[in-house]
Amino acid sequence: MSQQGYVAAPPYSQAQPGMGGYQGGFGSGPAQPLYGHYGGPPQAFTAPPAGMMKSPVSSAAGMPPPPVSSQYNPNVQQNGAHPQRYPAPPAASAAYGQPPQSPYNSMASPGPPAPQQLTNQMSAMNLGSYAPGPMQSPPPPTSSVAQQPFQTPPPPAMGQPQMPPGPQSPHMSQQMSPQMSPPQSPPASMPMAGPPLAGPLMVGSQMAGPPMGGPPMGGPPMAGMGRPFPGPPPPGPGGFQQPSPGAAGPLGYPQQAGQFGGQMAGPQPGMPGAFPGAPASLAGPPQKKLDPDSIPSITQVIEDDQLKKGGQVFSTNIRGQVPPLVTTDFTAQDQGNASPRFMRCTTYSLPCTADLAKQCQVPLASIIKPFASLPKDETPLYVVNHGETGPIRCNRCKAYMCPYMQFIDGGRRYQCGFCNCVSEVPVFYFQHLDHMGRRVDFYERPELSLGSYEFAATLDYCKNNKLPNPPAYIFMIDVSYNNIKSGLVKLICDELKTLLEKLPREEGAESSAIKVGFVTYNKVLHFYNVKSALAQPQMMVVSDTAEMFVPLLDGFLVNYQDSRAVIYNLLDQIPDMFADTNESETVFAPVIQAGVEAFKAAECNGKLFIFHSSMPTAEAPGKLKNRDDKKLVNTEKEKTLFQPQKGVYEQLSKDCVAQGCCVDLFLFPSQYMDMATMADVPSHTGGSVYKYNNFQVETDGEHFLRDLRKDVQKSIGFDAIMRVRTSTGFRATDFFGAIHMNNTTDIEMAAVDCDKAVTVEFKHDDTLSEETGALIQCALLYTTISGQRRLRIHNLSLHCSSQLSELYTRCETDSLINFFAKSAYRAILNQPLKNVREILVNQTAHMLACYRKNCASPSAASQLILPDAMKVFPVYMNSLMKTAPLVGSTELSTDDRAHQRLSVMAMGVEDTQLLLYPRLIPLHTLDVNSEALPAPVRCSEERLTDSGMFLLENGHSMFLWLGQAIPPDLIQSIFNLPSLAHLQGHMPALPELDNPLSKKVRSIINGLLDKRPNSMKLQIVRQRDKPEMLFRQFLVEDKGLHGSASYMDFLCYVHREIRQLLT
């Protein structure tokens, strides 16, 4: 079982002094270190000569540069036991010359292998480009590092790291699971990947810790690092994924004594940023010398998975099978387990015991998207109708009939796969068994042979035992001064005339069964009677907003086809009726209340589309006041900025859920509007919140209308209740999403659409069996758009193992980061950001350290070894830590942070993957005659070229970046302008020009806009223009604008944390 994961080496690989338990508290030592570790005692090293930092290009092609040893004293070996200063490094040549003595005396290491051997090994290793090059610190095992970009300065250049001695490399490949293929970079640049090299070479090796210029950092970049830090241990997080190492209690990992020994120290005081105190600039050689190609790359992983599994059929007939990545194009074929489009898991092999789960700290969770859209070539779900009797269920646990029920006794009884209870088969359902013990009608019954299907529900599954009415959509338009003046009201009214023709309808139906209603409001509400018999619409005003009621029953909610003429008339009149308004105050809670009352009166469910522009300040329930206070940022009270104001809105959410009233909010703010409170109702009713800051019809109109069209037309179910059942041994314990929970098991959603996902965490309550595996059944009861009550069932079976290596091999990084993003975003409601960031880093280090300790072959502590399936986890984790909600910066708008926090809570795996690692596509290399898109490049400034044109998108923002030296003919073809200098002002869309390049670029952009759940506004930025700063924050592998770490720094930091855990 010694499987190797992805080994990164050298820069890490030496045992660097000062890295393990440093001896003094941090911060001792001279103050002018060249690079201290993060927060380590500044070692006074002299600066390495310039030549040293270069990557060893000169060495023979596949061969790692020989280890440098002179710079390390031999006794540096102990993991950092002696923080001694290093002698000044010899001239550059020495750096690469053979060292006089091998740095590790203790491990006799073979000399560097011959180039030939190296290359072979490398290829065997599947490592390819991931040699971790520039990592500075000794690499930690990374098993599960979280992937967000971290915020700190990048390490100074280090040469390519090579692998430290040790047997490990050859087996690396086993561990690498399918997900990663070898990077493509040429071996030369990766000396590290290879066979064990003699000492790791760290070029510029002085770095003990990750290099960072500037004063030593005061503390760990973020989380408490090992003992060296003074300071109390971090307080336990309140319910945040609490990793509790070994013995340590559940607190956010306070004393870590447990498994890896050594207690972790606490956070350093006074650090705002992610890596606290990171210096702004690096003292040391410019970073360019690092070789970023040698560390794992997300674009490479995505490309490899696409090559390996793209265009193929993924059959779901095998238990615990890891699906293709969310970014890969594949066709799913349901053969007994739900398609990965509906359910994905953080790992497809659950540990058999709670102790193993606790040891590795890899969260066990499933991300369920019950209404996911299926591509045209996949079969829609079958509907099974058992008539009056309704669906067949287990007598004891109430699980629905599914492929995991075992028929016995000649087919007369069946044993439940979830609770093992034996039940009688109803007479009408009886069928003989074949020689295999399978029912003869196995393939004719979807519920016996498929992972996903629907049951028609009976009256027992309906409210008050009455069949539901078809749902309704109510459009509620804020007609205060700002919205009239900006032209928004007219824009909405004009769009609704055509949009209402496209309301969602059942397959095969001629028209939609959804009813529609209209309300306008400012300080008072105006309801409209649009009954088809009327010649003109009638308006009724309700000014008593404290006691909301609906003034008319008949004629408010109507069938659009019948009342089309009256509705057209109304939509023409609304902009004129309020053209001269001076009313700038608005109400908000009474508007939602009115919608709920209308649905109650009509006995139906539905959705409110509210178009609103300012904080509700008029005297009425739900009136809000400005509570935005930038002084709270980076304090204990920062969490209050994300918490909704209690009272009216909390009750409203409950009323909405009880009535099946979903709220979608379109906001057009020009200043703070308390997003945390206003978006509270949508975020508990399965709704969405769209926000257009400083809205202008010319530049933002089309962007808003695309969102509105998608929102009105998407497939959706109403008044939904979902329950997740599991087989014995484990159970669902925690739920994240745009949901409401009245008890611990029922997930209630006023509506659930094709983009909403619920993330469910599982915990052990007993031992799981390797033979039977683990089963999950998600049952969703809902009302269709035509008013039918249905049950949608998704089943998934997972593998169970007592080997941790299985869990790591079958992990899915994209699902893991979805879970971490949601749990971190929930945690910031009740604990300081600093603790949350610390927990993320700690858990990342823990997952990886556990892999290193239990699954990787023995090797030098200085090597960073990552499980193949998680090798890019640190990139995503670092990126997560750079997102607005987790960055304590006064420059960020509180509303934007709250908005992002809430929107992520309902995201599926593909949306969080793209949000945390945007696609950066080089359009200047576009082949107009090919269907294929140019391959995306890594999100780093180093990948941009002065003469290039790049498109960046993350599902919410889209940029077209133009290099300064872009050829004029490109500008001419795309913009119809002679040169870049002629490009002025905001351009909401590219001009439609009749040339192949323009058509191709526009079709790429439109294709992305169609594919993503949200519309994106195209922003055109020129290199070195002011708006480019906005674009740069999406280059998640680089340092963040607000002092956050680059990917390289984060990796080094995590490596150091891992080593600390292992010593």
Side-chain angles (χ1 to χ4, degrees), residues 128 148 180 488 512 708 710 725 729 964 1063:
Q148 289 322 40
M180 286 338 266
L488 176 65
S512 174
L708 177 61
K710 279 191 174 184
R725 291 183 172 82
Q964 283 183 311
T1063 47

Side-chain angles (χ1 to χ4, degrees), residues 698-700 702 706 986-990 1017-1018 1020:
E698 304 69 44
T699 52
D700 306 289
E702 198 46 47
R706 274 195 306 259
H986 289 293
M987 193 179 282
L990 296 179
K1017 176 181 169 184
L1018 179 66
I1020 295 164

Side-chain angles (χ1 to χ4, degrees), residues 62-64 113-123 190-191 193-197:
M63 162 152 186
Q116 174 54 41
Q117 173 194 350
L118 185 48
T119 28
N120 305 344
Q121 279 188 266
M122 278 173 127
S123 46
M190 355 199 355
L197 298 172

Side-chain angles (χ1 to χ4, degrees), residues 31-36 42-48 53 156 206-207 211-216 282-285:
Q32 33 350 358
L34 186 49
Y35 320 87
Q43 319 300 65
F45 351 96
T46 25
M53 297 283 167
Q206 337 264 61
M207 342 264 343
M212 306 218 27
L282 287 171

